[in-house]
C-alpha cells in the first residue's frame, strides 16, 4: 500500500507521505547536493529528501539493496551528530534594541545572547546587546510572553498541575524556554521545565491542540493551500509559538519550518473572516459605524 501511495504521489508531482516529516539525509542521494526541503519520498518508514524533482524517481528505481544501504548510512550519520532539542523557531518580529521590524534594514543580525538566539535589525544594535545581554534577553522574553499569553491554554502549572489562580488573582510565574512561554506555580517548577524542555513542550502542545482544534480557521493545509485537510489521510497537527497549525501530511512540515512566519501569516486573514461570520450570525442586527 505504501509503495502505491508513493507512486501515486510521484505521478501527481507531489511529495509522498512520511512517518515523522524529518528527512534522514542532508544531501541528495542522486545529485549529491543539499536537499531542497520540498522534494521527498517515504521509503522503509523513513523520509528521504532530494535536491530537485526527478531525483526522487531515480532513487525509487534503485534496487532494494542499494536503497537500504543509503538509509543505513544516513541513520548512522544521524547518530554521530545527535541534535539537541530545538524548541520553537524565533518568531519575534521586532528588534529588542530599536523596536524596528526585523528585516526593515536588510537581513537580520543573528546573535547568541546568554545561550539563545536573538535577532537584531542592524549592526548598530550589536554593541548595545553585548554591553547589556541580560537586559535585551529580557526584552525578547517580554515580547514572547505578550504574543503567546493570550493563547495560553488553561490556568494551571504545566509541571505540578496546581491552579495559578488564588482568591481571583493570577499568581502564575511566566518563564520562556526555547522561545515558548510556560506558566508555572514557582521557580522550582520553572527549573524543571528548563531541565527537560522536550517533556513539557509535548505536554503543552497537547493542551494547545485540545483548546484550539475546534476553532481552527483553515480547511486546507497551512503549506499547500489547495490541499484540503483530510485529503491525504488524517491531518497532522503541530504547535508553534502557542499556535496550532495543521498539515495535509508530514511531508509539508520541513517546508513550513524553513519559513514559519510566512505560513503563520496565513492564519490571520482566516481568523478575521471567521470572526466576521461569527459576528454576523450572533442573532443581532449590526449597523455600520459612521
Amino acid at each position: 500500500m505504501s509503495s502505491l501511495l508513493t507512486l501515486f504521489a510521484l505521478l501527481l508531482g507531489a511529495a509522498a507521505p512520511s512517518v515523522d516529516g524529518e528527512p534522514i539525509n542532508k544531501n541528495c542521494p542522486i545529485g549529491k547536493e543539499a536537499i531542497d526541503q520540498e522534494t521527498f519520498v517515504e521509503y522503509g518508514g523513513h523520509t528521504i529528501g532530494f535536491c530537485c524533482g526527478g531525483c526522487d524517481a531515480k532513487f525509487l528505481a534503485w534496487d532494494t539493496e542499494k536503497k537500504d544501504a543509503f538509509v543505513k548510512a544516513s541513520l548512522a550519520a544521524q547518530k554521530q551528530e545527535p541534535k539537541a532539542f530545538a524548541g520553537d523557531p524565533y518568531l519575534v518580529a521586532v528588534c529588542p534594541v530599536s523596536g524596528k521590524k526585523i528585516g526593515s534594514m536588510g537581513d537580520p543580525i543573528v546573535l547568541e545572547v546568554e545561550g539563545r538566539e536573538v535577532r537584531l535589525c542592524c549592526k548598530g544594535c550589536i554593541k548595545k546587546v553585548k554591553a547589556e545581554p541580560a537586559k535585551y534577553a529580557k526584552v525578547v522574553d517580554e515580547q514572547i510572553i505578550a504574543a503567546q499569553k493570550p493563547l495560553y491554554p488553561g490556568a494551571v502549572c504545566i509541571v505540578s498541575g496546581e491552579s495559578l489562580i488564588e482568591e481571583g488573582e493570577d499568581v502564575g510565574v511566566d518563564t520562556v524556554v526555547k522561545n515558548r512561554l510556560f506558566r508555572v506555580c514557582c521557580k522550582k517548577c520553572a527549573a524543571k521545565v528548563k531541565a527537560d524542555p522536550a517533556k513539557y513542550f509535548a505536554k503543552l502542545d497537547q493542551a494547545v491542540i485540545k483548546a484550539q482544534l475546534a476553532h481552527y480557521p483553515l480547511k486546507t493545509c497551512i503549506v499547500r493551500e489547495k490541499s484540503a485537510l483530510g485529503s491525504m489521510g488524517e491531518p497532522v497537527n503541530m504547535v508553534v509559538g502557542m499556535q496550532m497549525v495543521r498539515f495535509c501530511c508530514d511531508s509539508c512540515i520541513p517546508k513550513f519550518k524553513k519559513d514559519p512566519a510566512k505560513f503563520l501569516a496565513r492564519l490571520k486573514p482566516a481568523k478575521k473572516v471567521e470572526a466576521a461570520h461569527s459576528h454576523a450570525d450572533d442573532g443581532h442586527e449590526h449597523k455600520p459605524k459612521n
Side-chain angles (χ1 to χ4, degrees):
M1 187 65 165
S2 177
S3 60
L4 288 175
L5 287 172
T6 297
L7 178 60
F8 181 68
L10 287 173
L11 289 173
L12 291 177
S18 65
V19 172
D20 59 13
E22 289 291 343
I24 63 173
N25 58 312
K26 293 182 179 179
N27 293 319
C28 176
I30 306 298
K32 309 302 180 184
E33 298 178 2
I35 63 175
D36 63 4
Q37 300 294 343
E38 295 184 355
T39 310
F40 306 94
V41 298
E42 178 192 296
Y43 175 76
H46 301 288
T47 303
I48 313 296
F50 302 89
C51 62
C52 61
C55 286
D56 45 3
K58 291 179 181 179
F59 171 81
L60 290 173
W62 285 0
D63 60 47
T64 301
E65 185 178 354
K66 190 174 181 180
K67 291 196 289 279
D68 288 347
F70 177 76
V71 169
K72 184 177 180 180
S74 298
L75 292 174
Q78 277 191 340
K79 289 180 180 179
Q80 292 174 359
E81 298 179 6
K83 294 181 180 179
F85 180 72
D88 278 345
Y90 190 90
L91 296 173
V92 177
V94 299
C95 174
V97 179
S98 69
K100 294 181 179 179
K101 187 175 180 180
I102 299 295
S104 63
M105 300 181 70
D107 291 338
I109 305 298
V110 181
L111 291 183
E112 184 174 310
V113 180
E114 298 195 328
R116 60 185 293 184
E117 177 185 354
V118 170
R119 297 189 181 189
L120 310 175
C121 63
C122 64
K123 292 181 179 179
C125 294
I126 296 176
K127 187 176 181 180
K128 290 183 178 180
V129 173
K130 288 188 173 180
E132 297 181 277
K135 171 183 175 181
Y136 293 105
K138 183 179 179 181
V139 172
V140 171
D141 282 351
E142 290 171 349
Q143 292 172 335
I144 290 173
I145 291 169
Q148 296 185 18
K149 199 168 184 176
L151 295 172
Y152 201 86
V156 297
C157 174
I158 192 67
V159 178
S160 69
E162 293 183 13
S163 175
L164 301 179
I165 306 298
E166 292 183 5
E167 297 181 355
E169 183 180 350
D170 187 337
V171 295
V173 177
D174 296 334
T175 183
V176 175
V177 179
K178 294 187 178 295
N179 297 322
R180 177 75 69 87
L181 167 65
F182 290 88
R183 307 209 69 223
V184 293
C185 59
C186 61
K187 291 183 178 179
K188 192 172 182 180
C189 286
K192 289 183 178 181
V193 174
K194 292 176 181 177
D196 191 358
K199 173 182 177 180
Y200 293 105
F201 261 78
K203 187 174 181 179
L204 184 53
D205 284 355
Q206 290 179 355
V208 171
I209 291 170
K210 183 178 180 181
Q212 297 182 14
L213 185 59
H215 306 288
Y216 189 74
L218 299 182
K219 303 299 182 184
T220 59
C221 176
I222 190 77
V223 173
R224 297 180 186 174
E225 294 182 275
K226 294 182 180 180
S227 184
L229 293 172
S231 63
M232 298 180 70
E234 189 69 22
V236 179
N237 302 324
M238 189 170 82
V239 177
V240 179
M242 216 66 70
Q243 173 65 63
M244 184 187 77
V245 291
R246 308 194 79 195
F247 304 93
C248 60
C249 64
D250 285 323
S251 298
C252 291
I253 294 176
K255 189 171 183 179
F256 173 85
K257 288 183 176 180
K258 199 172 182 179
D259 191 359
K262 169 187 171 182
F263 295 109
L264 285 170
R266 293 179 180 174
L267 286 173
K268 295 178 182 178
K271 285 184 176 180
K272 288 182 180 179
V273 170
E274 183 184 62
H277 287 169
S278 176
H279 193 59
D281 297 337
D282 62 4
H284 297 284
E285 181 182 356
H286 301 284
K287 297 181 180 179
K289 294 181 180 180
N290 295 327

